[in-house]
Amino acid sequence: MAPYNKGADNRASDRPRHPNGTPAARSSKHRGFRAAEPTAPRQKQRWDAEERRGRSAQGERPARPNWEPRDSGGQRRPERDDRGGRGFNRDDRAPRRFDRDDRAPRRFDRDDRAPRRDNDDRPRRSFDRDDRAPRSFNRDDRAPRRDNDDRPRRSFDRDDRAPRSFNRDDRAPRRDNDDRPRRSFDRDDRAPRSFNRDERAPRRDNDDRPRRSFDRDDRGPRRFDRDDRAPRSFNRDDRTPRRDNDDRPRRSFDRDDRAPRKFDRDDRAPRKFDRDDRTDRAPRRSFDEPERGKFVPADDVKLAKLQAESTVASDVEGVTFGDLGIGGNISRALQELGASSPFPIQAATIPDVIAGKDVLGRGRTGSGKTIAFGAPLVEKLMEHGGGTKRKMGRAPRALILAPTRELALQIDRTVQPIARSVGLFTTQIYGGVPYGRQEGALERGVDIIVGTPGRVQDLMNKGKLDLSEVVISVLDEADHMCDLGFLEPVQEILSATAEVTPQGNRAQKLLFSATLDTQVAALVEQFLHEPSVHEVAGEDQASSTIDHRVLVVEQREKDRVLEELVAGDGKTIVFARTRAYAERLADQFEDAGIRATSLHGDLNQSRRTRNLQLLTSGRVNVLVATDVAARGIHVDDVSLVVQADAPDDYKAYMHRSGRTGRAGKEGTVVTLVPRGRIRKIEGILERAEIAADLVQAAPGDGIVSELAAR
DNA sequence: AAAAAAG
């Protein structure tokens, strides 16, 4: 194995050269460094700024959704040293992404890649986006769509999503490869459903989700097609010739086949929509009941969803955080975070948390779960807080656990301002960073711990962290926290928390996830007491704003297809199964002149944080990640999620795809599968209750560039 | 089987 770090001299010759022949030194500290052309990275920035202005000018909602960390737009985060003003000057940082030396020490040998870079216009390309102009022709079509931004409203009111449906129709012509007329026709087929979004709201008003099932039944006849579907998948070979002469129209047949899959809810209906159970509140609120009752034998892989009390968007109209029991200071803090009024999941869970109950909350990805537990948690601490407030060396009284460090950080960014608004302190306890600061914070005394299991356990065992006064514990991504490897530490940690409050009430446990199911049974039985279960009606994946596609690709063509897919201008997250593949892909994209970076467990924490920030800030367009980024991570305006490897299961699919389409925005999810995995991905889609177009694709195909352009 | 989470 070659040494990681070749000498600087070696590498200098590998380095891309500027047009003028000087080596493209990679930072201002390097000789030969040239600042990025001001045009390049800024173009995107300017566009963002305009977009943002456009939104706030409409005054429809704050510039950011209400769960999103305040700083992700580059606003104040003074306490984060690693940001040190960089966010204000993109040009500073643009070169850094070519700072290969920094990245080299990772376990990936860069040297194989050197030759590719030699012929290289890479720096030019990266510094000057004009090289990519051809692609941006399509952008012209799209710009207006995004500019006349009616979407922000959707995040507050699902009914406002109607315009999007119309946009759908607009989009058909935009595809402008007219060899696909049938497809737009199919779109029209689906349109009635979309247009009816407005009509669906009233239906939700009188809380009749069963009616939704009936709606599905209207489509029942089409279910016969369902049986056709499987053969279709397995007869892919028949279709290959068709593709050769590129007559995409045939895909429209897929659409037809597809519809039934989407609407064939019947097998699930009993589980999720059965209102009869729900008229009786007792069983609904009990965890055990649904667990025993709702396991379906055929459902051995997909665990039964928990029977939940459903809240609908219209329930929330006119409700304020104050109405839910949140105090004035916290409400103002929420307002500053962009949460002027509660989202459905928040309206559903906050009162129960404040009432002291254990809560299981299921809300779609990006539906505002962080505030749903964060705000009432702080409120409760105020309540039992009293005299211990701000006492030196006080033990924490609340604990929030997340499965990844990035998510813990992100949660803290939301919870910290809420806590501060009432004089409480949070601290982050997660691995990969020095102990000193965390231990120091604990010694000074904190009120709320936000962290990951490993380090929390570590500090517990070292006697630095006393959880015995923790009266509210939150598990975000709770189902994942029950996975092998997580469950045991989590159990140990929860066991170390208090059982009762100083006032003699039961200590609370809150479990949240977009895919909360009976996987959490072990924890629930062990730690929760008569939890109330909440979900948000009409917010399943099928009703989301995400367009799902599956591309069947030849294994040897996959990387080239990927490269074309990520070449678009929108922010893209690519998911890979392994760290090595994620790294390799990021390198490949960079070599192709695409601004890309990676996020996975082989990177040290500072690089993980930085690389994620590169995407958040828009300095790169493409993040190639393992499933470390699958859950919870919020990045503004991710327009495309690409699954270079199909997800393991339906949950992974839902969480990965939930990185886009947030706050009611549109997004596209493209999953690449080899021919042999078609059946598998169809099973996943079905369990996720997602309808997706499935089509073969090869490099250079229109469908690929079309998906990339968005 | 991989990834995540402690070092």
Side-chain angles (χ1 to χ4, degrees):
Chain A
M1 180 85 160
Y4 293 139
N5 213 354
K6 307 290 273 189
D9 306 310
N10 259 349
R11 299 187 57 83
S13 62
D14 294 340
R15 231 172 268 155
R17 291 178 174 270
H18 258 282
N20 69 2
T22 54
R26 295 160 281 190
S27 84
S28 54
K29 295 190 187 89
H30 289 66
R31 236 182 321 165
F33 168 75
R34 287 166 51 96
E37 296 296 331
T39 50
R42 276 207 195 124
Q43 271 186 348
K44 175 67 174 167
Q45 184 184 35
R46 211 183 303 127
W47 191 86
D48 281 344
E50 275 164 16
E51 188 194 33
R52 242 175 247 128
R53 264 197 300 282
R55 276 183 207 160
S56 47
Q58 297 199 359
E60 284 153 357
R61 67 155 206 185
R64 58 198 58 254
N66 90 4
W67 59 89
E68 178 202 348
R70 169 101 182 171
D71 64 324
S72 63
Q75 287 107 319
R76 51 166 199 156
R77 263 307 282 178
E79 69 273 32
R80 295 286 316 282
D81 46 9
D82 59 334
R83 307 192 173 201
R86 276 192 238 120
F88 300 103
N89 185 353
R90 295 179 152 231
D91 296 339
D92 279 328
R93 290 200 80 195
R96 301 173 75 243
R97 57 184 311 289
F98 293 107
D99 195 354
R100 315 293 291 194
D101 286 333
D102 288 346
R103 302 178 66 199
R106 279 184 266 150
R107 56 182 70 164
F108 305 94
D109 188 351
R110 300 283 164 162
D111 293 337
D112 355 5
R113 302 172 45 246
R116 265 183 279 151
R117 259 181 260 137
D118 280 336
N119 59 358
D120 206 357
D121 39 12
R122 268 176 66 222
R124 189 160 42 84
R125 268 192 259 117
S126 48
F127 291 139
D128 184 354
R129 306 275 294 173
D130 288 344
D131 284 0
R132 303 169 71 188
R135 254 183 261 118
S136 62
F137 288 143
N138 295 336
R139 309 292 301 179
D140 295 335
D141 306 330
R142 294 167 54 222
R145 174 166 53 108
R146 294 169 96 157
D147 283 343
N148 72 357
D149 195 350
D150 44 7
R151 280 173 275 153
R153 300 167 63 181
R154 269 186 264 126
S155 60
F156 285 115
D157 185 346
R158 311 290 294 182
D159 297 346
D160 290 329
R161 290 165 68 191
R164 175 184 135 258
S165 321
F166 293 94
N167 288 342
R168 286 237 142 192
D169 292 330
D170 296 340
R171 279 161 66 191
R174 256 185 278 124
R175 298 239 163 82
D176 66 66
N177 29 358
D178 288 331
D179 50 347
R180 314 167 77 226
R182 300 283 301 275
R183 245 178 104 240
S184 41
F185 171 78
D186 284 296
R187 288 273 172 187
D188 292 339
D189 266 353
R190 300 164 72 199
R193 183 182 129 264
S194 311
F195 285 116
N196 284 343
R197 289 223 179 250
D198 282 331
E199 294 160 23
R200 284 167 66 191
R203 270 191 262 133
R204 283 186 209 139
D205 284 348
N206 40 9
D207 186 31
D208 50 357
R209 292 179 73 218
R211 295 267 306 272
R212 279 178 76 219
S213 323
F214 286 116
D215 290 343
R216 314 282 179 185
D217 288 341
D218 292 344
R219 328 236 176 185
R222 291 216 232 141
R223 237 175 293 138
F224 292 113
D225 298 342
R226 214 173 149 62
D227 297 330
D228 299 340
R229 206 160 43 88
R232 169 177 58 93
S233 319
F234 304 122
N235 290 339
R236 291 281 142 181
D237 293 335
D238 304 340
R239 304 173 62 214
T240 310
R242 270 192 259 137
R243 258 187 220 100
D244 292 341
N245 40 10
D246 191 21
D247 51 352
R248 289 290 156 63
R250 299 302 214 101
R251 290 176 52 224
S252 52
F253 288 109
D254 296 347
R255 285 274 169 180
D256 291 337
D257 294 345
R258 202 159 63 88
R261 183 207 297 161
K262 177 165 193 171
F263 299 116
D264 185 14
R265 299 292 188 114
D266 291 359
D267 33 3
R268 303 186 192 98
R271 217 165 47 230
K272 192 171 178 185
F273 299 113
D274 188 354
R275 289 313 211 178
D276 293 342
D277 292 0
R278 308 176 75 234
T279 56
D280 174 6
R281 293 184 71 87
R284 196 195 326 152
R285 297 193 153 253
S286 136
F287 176 80
D288 292 328
E289 180 72 21
E291 185 210 350
R292 268 187 262 112
K294 293 300 171 182
F295 267 119
V296 182
D299 234 11
D300 50 346
V301 177
K302 177 179 182 176
L303 294 165
K305 287 181 177 175
L306 295 165
Q307 203 67 31
E309 179 168 0
S310 191
T311 301
V312 298
S314 55
D315 290 349
V316 185
E317 272 169 35
V319 174
T320 67
F321 282 109
D323 298 336
L324 301 173
I326 298 293
N329 285 340
I330 297 176
S331 291
R332 277 187 292 278
L334 292 171
Q335 184 107 28
E336 276 200 32
L337 286 166
S340 48
S341 58
F343 282 177
I345 186 67
Q346 297 158 3
T349 59
I350 287 174
D352 275 354
V353 176
I354 290 180
K357 296 179 181 175
D358 287 346
V359 171
L360 307 185
R362 179 171 59 232
R364 194 174 71 190
T365 54
S367 63
K369 291 188 286 292
T370 306
I371 287 174
F373 60 71
L377 176 148
V378 173
E379 183 70 36
K380 285 300 278 185
L381 286 199
M382 288 291 290
E383 222 174 83
H384 359 242
T388 59
K389 217 169 112 181
R390 315 204 51 169
K391 203 175 106 196
M392 190 69 179
R394 66 197 177 283
R397 288 172 296 134
L399 168 69
I400 302 172
L401 288 181
T404 65
R405 300 163 185 173
E406 284 74 17
L407 185 51
L409 261 163
Q410 178 181 297
I411 292 167
D412 188 54
R413 271 182 234 131
T414 295
V415 174
Q416 187 176 87
I418 299 172
R420 286 289 175 87
S421 74
V422 295
L424 298 179
F425 286 80
T426 71
T427 198
Q428 309 154 355
I429 303 290
Y430 60 85
V433 295
Y435 286 85
R437 197 169 143 174
Q438 294 178 359
E439 290 177 352
L442 292 173
E443 281 161 20
R444 284 192 298 279
V446 298
D447 304 287
I448 301 167
I449 301 287
V450 185
T452 49
R455 180 64 68 92
V456 168
Q457 208 181 8
D458 190 1
L459 289 176
M460 267 171 53
N461 295 336
K462 290 168 86 175
K464 306 275 186 176
L465 174 56
D466 172 16
L467 294 181
S468 65
E469 291 178 36
V470 167
V471 291
I472 306 183
S473 308
V474 182
L475 296 187
D476 200 7
E477 309 296 346
D479 55 321
H480 193 214
M481 299 295 260
C482 293
D483 280 353
L484 200 66
F486 271 131
L487 181 59
E488 204 178 316
V490 166
Q491 285 172 320
E492 209 171 297
I493 290 166
L494 289 182
S495 299
T497 65
E499 286 188 12
V500 294
T501 69
Q503 290 78 24
N505 301 312
R506 292 183 59 91
Q508 283 176 271
K509 310 285 186 294
L510 316 177
L511 272 49
F512 282 77
S513 177
T515 52
L516 197 68
D517 60 14
T518 52
Q519 188 175 348
V520 297
L523 282 182
V524 170
E525 281 163 17
Q526 189 176 355
F527 294 106
L528 277 73
H529 176 69
E530 295 180 0
S532 64
V533 189
H534 292 280
E535 69 175 4
V536 176
E539 296 222 331
D540 50 17
Q541 297 298 127
S543 68
S544 82
T545 50
I546 301 173
D547 185 12
H548 296 269
R549 307 296 187 99
V550 175
L551 300 186
V552 181
V553 296
E554 296 289 339
Q555 181 61 35
R556 58 177 220 284
E557 293 176 334
K558 183 161 95 171
D559 289 355
R560 272 183 293 155
V561 170
L562 282 166
E563 197 172 306
E564 291 177 19
L565 277 173
V566 303
D569 284 344
K571 278 187 195 172
T572 301
I573 299 181
V574 179
F575 284 103
R577 194 176 63 93
T578 67
R579 305 161 175 186
Y581 187 38
E583 191 60 27
R584 210 193 84 211
L585 279 177
D587 289 345
Q588 180 197 329
F589 296 158
E590 285 192 322
D591 288 347
I594 298 160
R595 298 185 300 159
T597 190
S598 59
L599 179 63
H600 54 75
D602 271 346
L603 307 180
N604 65 41
Q605 189 52 40
S606 69
R607 183 155 316 271
R608 280 170 61 161
T609 305
R610 187 186 311 166
N611 287 0
L612 180 56
Q613 174 67 13
L614 285 175
L615 183 73
T616 307
S617 64
R619 280 183 291 265
V620 302
N621 270 353
V622 180
L623 179 73
V624 190
T626 59
D627 276 335
V628 69
R631 284 177 175 250
I633 301 304
H634 179 93
V635 176
D636 248 359
D637 300 322
V638 172
S639 56
L640 177 63
V641 166
V642 178
Q643 308 195 68
D645 299 303
D648 275 353
D649 56 19
Y650 82 101
K651 288 188 186 186
Y653 190 104
M654 288 171 72
H655 286 282
R656 286 168 163 195
S657 59
R659 298 317 100 206
T660 186
R662 295 176 81 84
K665 291 181 183 170
E666 290 182 13
T668 305
V669 175
V670 179
T671 305
L672 302 192
V673 294
R675 195 180 299 268
R677 288 279 180 275
I678 291 174
R679 191 212 288 260
K680 162 101 168 152
I681 191 67
E682 285 186 333
I684 284 174
L685 288 165
E686 195 161 332
R687 291 206 180 88
E689 302 180 359
I690 287 168
D693 199 7
L694 191 147
V695 53
Q696 275 197 346
D701 278 5
I703 180 70
V704 177
S705 50
E706 173 197 316
L707 291 170
R710 306 190 192 193

